[in-house]
Structures are given as structure tokens and as C-alpha cells.
Amino acid sequence: MCRYAQDLSPILKILADKNADILRLNEKVDISKLKFYYMEDDGGQLLTSPVELEIKEAMRKVIRYLEKAYKVKVTKLNIRKLKKSTALWMANMSCKDEKDFTYELSNRNGHINLWWEFLKWTMFMSNHTLIALLTATFERFAVKHGSDQHTKLIQESRELYREFQDILGEDGVFLFPTHPTAAPLHHEPLVKAFNFSYTAIINVLGLPATACPLGLNKQGLPIGIQIVGGLHQDRLTIAVAEELERGFGGWVPPVIVA
């Protein structure tokens, strides 16, 4: 949404409109009184890239910075359900009444023919991107909405949400990678299709998160972490992101990679 965390509060006030008071964005946050938790990875999903060492090292620097500057304890967690992030995300994104992604791609006027669109794409004639067609394909072969497996995954999602809420409450934040690798090169997500799950799972749980840049890796590509809060605790995630920007320099332009 923006390069600097300080710009998030004004934007959120506009987006939230009449509900902005719920977020209490004008309240000052005392970082020394927050509870801090972290995980360096999701536990090792089968189809997700391992978190790169430079991202883990950046996370450890953040932890040392917070513990030294604010005399807080940053506690490591082991939230096992995060290992199923992709499956939980797909279950929550599934639609009933056949209003799936092919319906959305048709501008909600029937359904596109996936196989015909793939053929058109190979001839540069499709109106849809390859990633959109692949997303629709994954959805078609995923767990069916309303099936026993779907019901089980939705229940696990609710349990994961409650676990986060119990841990974070109104004064806790969770540090977690935004992505297991540095910013991907063009087309790279096509072969690492499930790396988005680090942010996707937080999104479908409905929890606020602020992505915080932590500089560049050795190749000059951006790396960072996300700061997750409990429901409606956006001001906490933004306040921590602002502090980390002051401590680590915030956004910097990436090196152009040929």
C-alpha cells in the first residue's frame, strides 16, 4: 500500500471510514509493554521454499534490537497448524454454488473454458494471465466446498485463529517472514507457486499485518518480515513497523538485476 509505515494510519482511517474508531489508531503505543513472539518459518510445508538464511538472520537482528532497546522478551512459538497454511488458505478461498475463479474471470457472466484459455494463451490470444489460469486450475482440483475434508480444514482454520487470538490478545505481536525468499524475480512465482502462503494464511484468518522491509540481500533484492497482531490491533503492528524502520533504515530501492 505504501513504502513507509507512517503512511498506513491515514490510509486505514480512510478505508475504515465509520469503523476507524474500532482500530484506535490515534492511541499511542508503548512498545516496551508489548508481548513479542516469533517463528522463523512455517514448520516446513511440502511445496513451499525453505526460508532463506539472510531472512532468518534479519529476523534475529530484529529480535536482538527489540530486546536491547526495550528490554522485552521475544518468545519463539511453534504453531503447528501453520505447516498447513496453503491447504487452509485454499479451503477458505473455495466458493459454493460454482462461483469459482473461472466465474470471476468471466466478469461474473458464466465461466471461462480453462483449457481453451490455456490454448489461447500459448498463442498470445487470451485475455488472462498465466498465473490467473493456474490459480483457477488449482482451485478446480482442490478440496470441494462442503466436503468432509473442506469442513475439517475450515474447522482447523478457526482453531488457528483462536490460537492466535489467545496468544496475542490486545497487547501481543507476532514476527513472521512475509516470504521465504527475497523478492522474487519476474516469472519466478510460476515455479514457486505456494510461497505466497506466508501472507495468505494471515489474510484469510482476518488478522492485521504490516510488512516491514529490512534492507537488501547480497544480490540487492528486498527482504523483510511481517508483524502480525490480534483482531483490530493494527496500531500495534504499525507502531512496531515504524520502530523497525527507524532502527534498520526502512525502505531502500533494490539493485537492478539484469
Side-chain angles (χ1 to χ4, degrees):
M1 293 174 65
C2 56
R3 288 179 177 175
Y4 305 106
Q6 66 182 9
D7 296 325
L8 286 171
S9 289
I11 293 173
L12 276 178
K13 289 176 184 177
I14 295 171
L15 293 175
D17 195 20
K18 296 178 182 179
N19 295 316
D21 290 344
I22 297 174
L23 303 180
R24 296 180 288 166
L25 294 170
N26 292 326
E27 287 188 17
K28 188 174 181 180
V29 175
D30 186 347
I31 293 178
S32 67
K33 289 184 168 54
L34 297 182
K35 297 180 295 185
F36 287 88
Y37 306 92
Y38 79 101
M39 283 178 63
E40 291 186 347
D41 57 41
D42 60 10
Q45 289 191 83
L46 182 62
L47 298 175
T48 304
S49 299
V51 175
E52 292 177 349
L53 181 59
E54 287 178 280
I55 296 174
K56 290 185 176 182
E57 289 176 344
M59 175 81 78
R60 293 163 191 166
K61 288 179 182 178
V62 166
I63 292 168
R64 289 194 294 269
Y65 174 83
L66 291 169
E67 290 183 335
K68 181 177 180 180
Y70 290 96
K71 304 297 187 289
V72 295
K73 172 64 176 175
V74 184
T75 303
K76 187 173 185 178
L77 298 179
N78 180 21
I79 301 176
R80 295 184 178 181
K81 283 187 173 63
L82 286 175
K83 194 173 181 178
K84 301 176 69 174
S85 291
T86 301
L88 297 178
W89 176 82
M90 294 185 77
N92 279 274
M93 293 298 290
S94 67
C95 299
K96 59 182 179 180
D97 301 327
E98 297 186 354
K99 292 184 178 179
D100 59 9
F101 200 47
T102 62
Y103 171 75
E104 297 293 338
L105 292 178
S106 71
N107 288 324
R108 300 188 174 185
N109 182 23
H111 297 264
I112 66 166
N113 184 312
L114 267 178
W115 314 120
W116 177 239
E117 290 298 332
F118 272 119
L119 179 60
K120 288 167 61 179
W121 182 86
T122 63
M123 297 182 287
F124 305 99
M125 296 174 62
S126 177
N127 292 325
H128 308 292
T129 63
L130 179 59
I131 193 64
L133 297 177
L134 290 173
T135 299
T137 303
F138 280 125
E139 184 182 38
R140 176 161 294 182
F141 293 102
V143 175
K144 296 298 182 184
H145 191 283
S147 67
D148 290 344
Q149 181 65 11
H150 175 262
T151 301
K152 180 182 178 183
L153 289 170
I154 294 298
Q155 179 60 32
E156 289 188 76
S157 299
R158 292 169 180 163
E159 292 170 359
L160 178 57
Y161 169 80
R162 286 194 293 269
E163 185 174 1
F164 267 115
Q165 281 295 97
D166 290 343
I167 292 170
L168 299 178
E170 295 187 353
D171 60 353
V173 293
F174 174 60
L175 311 179
F176 196 49
T178 49
H179 204 71
T181 69
L185 300 176
H186 199 49
H187 296 312
E188 188 178 348
L190 294 176
V191 294
K192 299 178 180 178
F194 298 102
N195 283 353
F196 73 96
S197 64
Y198 276 81
T199 49
I201 186 61
I202 303 301
N203 185 282
V204 295
L205 292 178
L207 299 175
T210 302
C212 183
L214 293 172
L216 309 177
N217 68 1
K218 292 178 181 177
Q219 286 73 45
L221 295 172
I223 59 174
I225 63 171
Q226 58 181 317
I227 302 146
V228 182
L231 184 65
H232 298 150
Q233 306 307 316
D234 304 65
R235 72 190 189 286
L236 305 185
T237 70
I238 295 171
V240 174
E242 289 178 344
E243 177 58 30
L244 295 183
E245 282 185 355
R246 288 189 287 268
F248 292 88
W251 180 86
V252 292
V255 174
I256 297 176
V257 179

